[in-house]
């Protein structure tokens, strides 16, 4: 019986995994250079970790279940809440700011489509202990350096949910109602925003201001908001946003100001941003990164701690990342080839080949024939797996205490001692890097 994959999940074949590992390594390298340390949290958590802020409504978007002990659990739909839970439980006393990054799978019960899956991976970073413009600018810049390391060009949109929240709080709209409005704004449902606010008895002036605010985009957005008196000049959110934009300039980051960004998750309190792919290769799901400032620690039993972070949709990045020519070439892999008659390779050749392969494996991924194939069959296997070198071991080589190193790119080959062979391969792989 043929068993299909579960809906919204994928298998990753070796070629795809090679690409993923390479991308992951590049991003990890950048995060570490910026002083972030890697952490990992469990794949499933108590469901309340996610419902506490967003309410029970979020359950229909998650994989949630009761375990055999009756505990209500959920596969994590994202990693910010788990990271802050871990911070409150384990890292409260760590020096501030606590700067961490993570790479892990997430699960959302969504309608699968191109670049939208039910199991997907996020690569993200959080600065726990600051939501100042300096932290906001660093987080955005870090995301852009990650993209740069992958050679991906993208467009940044920056907003500030504080501006929308401030206006609604001024008009005495209750917090749960504010969250509902934010969600409608995030979905781009302007009519529904008007309908909802009208329904709760909001004044026409508030509704007009709000719609005007979320439609503001581009260079003059803040000036316009001020001129129209939608935002007061003493607004904290406004001052913060202005400083952030100045700092982004110092990092040479180009942005579009977009006050309509509300983000789907409920925990954001300040700056929010989204990064979109620009080549049209992802269709409708072109958001490759999202983030912003938030406060979750107090909700999970810790002190009120401002934080700022982002998460990349790693799968979306893999879909637009192309391996460079060099990286598509042969792999840094070696094949040891014991030479003998088909089905009759002599024991001393096998023994020597095992010894040589063991030595090479201290340095490089190395294959050794386990099917007793002929020389030509082993070489065609080496070509098929795109190995860079074959190390041939036959009776003659053993007599001379040497091996024959064959460069599978050029076809050149030469006899040499095993140590020299290791050094040659090492130099060659280092040059390629
Ligand atoms: P998010 O925008 O919900 O934010 O997710 C981050 C990224 O994950 C999205 O920009 C998107 O690229 C990717 N993504 C989301 N859902 C899917 C899916 N079903 N299939 C493929 N990719 C998907 C967060 O999760 C926040 N925790 C980000 C954050 C970190 N904010 C502060 N710190």
């Amino acid at each position: 019986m043929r068993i299909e994959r579960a809906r919204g999940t994928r298998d990753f074949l070796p070629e795809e995994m090679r690409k993923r590992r390479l991308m992951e390594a590049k991003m990890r390298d950048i995060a570490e250079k910026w002083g972030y340390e890697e952490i990992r949290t469990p794949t499933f958590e108590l469901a309340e970790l996610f419902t506490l802020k967003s309410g029970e409504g979020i359950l229909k978007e998650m994989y949630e279940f009761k375990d055999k002990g009756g505990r209500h659990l959920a596969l994590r739909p994202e990693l910010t809440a788990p990271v802050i839970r871990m911070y409150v439980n384990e890292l409260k006393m760590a020096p501030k700011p606590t700067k961490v990054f993570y790479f892990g799978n997430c699960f959302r019960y969504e309608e699968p489509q191109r670049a939208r899956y039910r199991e997907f991976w996020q690569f993200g970073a959080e600065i726990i202990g600051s939501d100042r413009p300096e932290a906001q600018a660093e987080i955005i810049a870090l995301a852009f350096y990650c993209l740069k390391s992958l050679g991906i060009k993208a467009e940044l949109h920056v907003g500030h949910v504080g501006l929308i929240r401030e206006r609604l709080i001024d008009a005495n709209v209750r917090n749960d109602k504010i969250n509902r409005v934010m969600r409608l704004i995030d979905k781009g449902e302007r009519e529904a925003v008007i309908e909802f606010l009208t329904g709760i008895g909001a004044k026409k002036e508030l509704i007009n201001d709000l719609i005007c605010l979320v439609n503001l985009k581009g260079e003059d957005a803040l000036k316009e908001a001020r001129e129209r008196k939608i935002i007061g000049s003493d607004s904290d959110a406004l001052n913060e946003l202005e400083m952030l934009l100045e700092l982004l300039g110092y990092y040479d980051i180009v942005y579009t100001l977009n006050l309509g960004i509300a983000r789907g998750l409920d925990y954001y309190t300040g700056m929010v941003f989204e990064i979109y792919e620009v080549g049209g290769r992802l269709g409708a799901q072109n958001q490759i990164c999202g983030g912003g400032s938030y406060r979750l620690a107090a909700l999970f039993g810790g002190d009120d701690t401002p934080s700022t972070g982002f998460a990349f949709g790693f799968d979306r990045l893999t879909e637009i990342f192309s391996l460079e020519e060099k990286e598509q070439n042969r792999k840094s892999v070696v094949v040891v080839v014991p030479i003998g008659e088909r089905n009759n390779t002599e024991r001393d050749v096998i023994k020597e080949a095992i010894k040589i392969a063991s030595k090479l494996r201290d340095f490089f991924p190395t294959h050794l024939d386990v099917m007793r194939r002929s020389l030509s069959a082993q070489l065609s296997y080496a070509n098929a797996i795109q190995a860079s070198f074959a190390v041939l071991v036959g009776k003659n080589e053993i007599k001379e205490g040497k091996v024959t190193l064959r460069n599978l790119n050029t076809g050149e080959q030469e006899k040499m001692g095993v140590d020299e062979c290791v050094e040659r391969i090492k130099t060659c792989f280092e040059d390629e890097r």
Side-chain angles (χ1 to χ4, degrees):
M1 188 176 78
R2 185 187 149 104
I3 307 210
E4 300 296 334
R5 267 182 281 119
R7 195 163 141 75
T9 64
R10 286 151 302 152
D11 295 313
F12 301 116
L13 303 181
E15 193 184 340
E16 172 71 9
M17 277 315 292
R18 193 162 66 86
K19 175 168 144 181
R20 289 184 154 244
R21 289 288 186 220
L22 181 78
M23 294 176 66
E24 207 188 308
K26 284 178 190 277
M27 296 172 88
R28 240 193 205 108
D29 184 49
I30 300 288
E32 279 166 3
K33 286 205 174 101
W34 284 57
Y36 291 67
E37 289 187 296
E38 185 165 8
I39 48 140
R40 183 165 287 174
T41 61
T43 310
F44 54 87
E45 298 270 358
L46 295 181
E48 64 179 344
L49 179 68
F50 306 106
T51 54
L52 220 48
K53 182 76 200 169
S54 307
E56 301 285 312
I58 192 87
L59 289 175
K60 63 179 190 309
E61 294 162 27
M62 297 200 299
Y63 279 87
E64 42 100 19
F65 52 95
K66 288 252 168 65
D67 74 0
K68 292 189 174 63
R71 297 168 202 92
H72 189 190
L73 303 175
L75 298 183
R76 59 186 178 198
E78 58 106 38
L79 280 139
T80 305
V83 167
I84 298 301
R85 178 204 45 72
M86 182 189 83
Y87 162 78
V88 170
N89 294 353
E90 320 281 347
L91 281 172
K92 254 199 322 247
M93 306 309 282
K96 299 272 178 340
T98 303
K99 303 200 297 180
V100 296
F101 76 93
Y102 48 80
F103 177 69
N105 52 350
C106 300
F107 305 83
R108 293 187 188 177
Y109 197 76
E110 309 200 82
E111 213 31 56
Q113 52 171 272
R114 182 164 158 209
R116 190 204 268 171
Y117 308 102
R118 288 186 169 173
E119 183 191 28
F120 61 98
W121 272 255
Q122 285 191 347
F123 183 99
E126 314 287 339
I127 298 184
I128 306 168
S130 180
D131 62 356
R132 299 245 178 230
E134 288 88 331
Q136 300 168 7
E138 176 170 312
I139 274 292
I140 294 176
L142 172 58
F144 267 85
Y145 272 78
C146 286
L147 288 175
K148 198 169 152 201
S149 77
L150 299 174
I152 292 175
K153 291 202 174 56
E155 195 175 297
L156 165 69
H157 283 215
V158 184
H160 199 301
V161 292
L163 293 172
I164 307 169
R165 283 185 187 271
E166 270 177 15
R167 185 66 188 87
L168 289 165
I169 291 167
D170 269 357
N172 295 322
V173 178
R174 269 186 14 220
N175 209 26
D176 57 327
K177 303 270 189 287
I178 294 180
N179 287 342
R180 175 104 176 95
V181 174
M182 300 304 282
R183 250 173 269 153
L184 293 173
I185 294 174
D186 176 57
K187 289 196 185 127
E189 294 174 6
R190 303 286 192 261
E191 287 308 314
V193 173
I194 298 172
E195 216 169 278
F196 180 75
L197 286 172
T198 311
I200 61 168
K203 290 208 177 101
K204 203 151 182 58
E205 189 197 344
L206 169 69
I207 298 175
N208 288 342
D209 275 5
L210 204 74
I211 294 301
C212 177
L213 193 63
V214 298
N215 283 336
L216 288 178
K217 235 186 191 184
E219 252 172 59
D220 294 329
L222 292 183
K223 202 168 120 215
E224 223 177 304
R226 238 196 240 111
E227 278 170 11
R228 294 190 188 199
K229 298 205 165 36
I230 303 172
I231 316 173
S233 54
D234 58 343
S235 155
D236 289 341
L238 182 62
N239 294 334
E240 197 181 283
L241 188 53
E242 277 175 338
M243 178 156 181
L244 166 68
L245 300 181
E246 186 185 332
L247 298 183
L248 286 179
Y250 301 156
Y251 279 108
D252 277 335
I253 287 173
V254 180
Y255 57 82
T256 299
L257 190 62
N258 180 351
L259 299 183
I261 298 182
R263 311 274 302 125
L265 300 154
D266 289 326
Y267 47 65
Y268 295 103
T269 47
M271 177 279 290
V272 281
F273 72 98
E274 290 178 351
I275 303 177
Y276 309 105
E277 190 265 341
V278 284
R281 286 164 291 182
L282 291 174
Q285 304 302 316
N286 68 339
Q287 195 200 117
I288 53 176
C289 182
S293 296
Y294 58 91
R295 286 167 186 260
L296 272 176
L299 192 67
F300 304 150
D303 295 335
D304 186 27
T305 313
S307 309
T308 308
F310 71 75
F312 277 110
F314 186 77
D315 308 84
R316 293 182 185 173
L317 296 181
T318 65
E319 273 155 56
I320 51 182
F321 173 77
S322 55
L323 286 176
E324 289 166 18
E325 208 54 46
K326 193 176 75 183
E327 286 159 345
Q328 272 177 334
N329 278 342
R330 290 183 178 273
K331 297 174 203 161
S332 299
V333 167
V334 183
V335 176
V336 174
V337 180
I339 309 169
E341 295 296 306
R342 191 172 147 68
N343 278 332
N344 192 22
T345 308
E346 291 186 18
R347 289 286 207 286
D348 51 350
V349 173
I350 295 176
K351 178 178 158 195
E352 198 57 25
I354 289 176
K355 272 173 42 191
I356 292 167
S358 303
K359 184 151 200 168
L360 292 168
R361 281 175 176 148
D362 283 342
F363 305 97
F364 330 105
T366 303
H367 295 262
L368 172 63
D369 185 56
V370 288
M371 292 170 70
R372 283 203 210 156
R373 285 180 290 199
S374 68
L375 170 64
S376 68
Q378 291 188 58
L379 288 177
S380 65
Y381 173 74
N383 273 319
I385 63 165
Q386 294 176 300
S388 293
F389 290 99
V391 176
L392 314 186
V393 190
K395 280 190 102 49
N396 291 339
E397 279 84 359
I398 294 176
K399 238 183 259 159
E400 293 174 46
K402 292 187 170 168
V403 294
T404 299
L405 175 63
R406 183 174 178 136
N407 182 326
L408 294 169
N409 252 327
T410 61
E412 288 164 11
Q413 60 179 50
E414 198 183 324
K415 266 193 196 149
M416 63 189 74
V418 177
D419 291 339
E420 190 185 346
C421 170
V422 168
E423 286 313 312
R424 283 273 188 100
I425 301 175
K426 240 193 224 167
T427 318
C428 193
F429 285 167
E430 267 158 23
D431 284 353
E432 272 172 19
R433 244 178 263 140

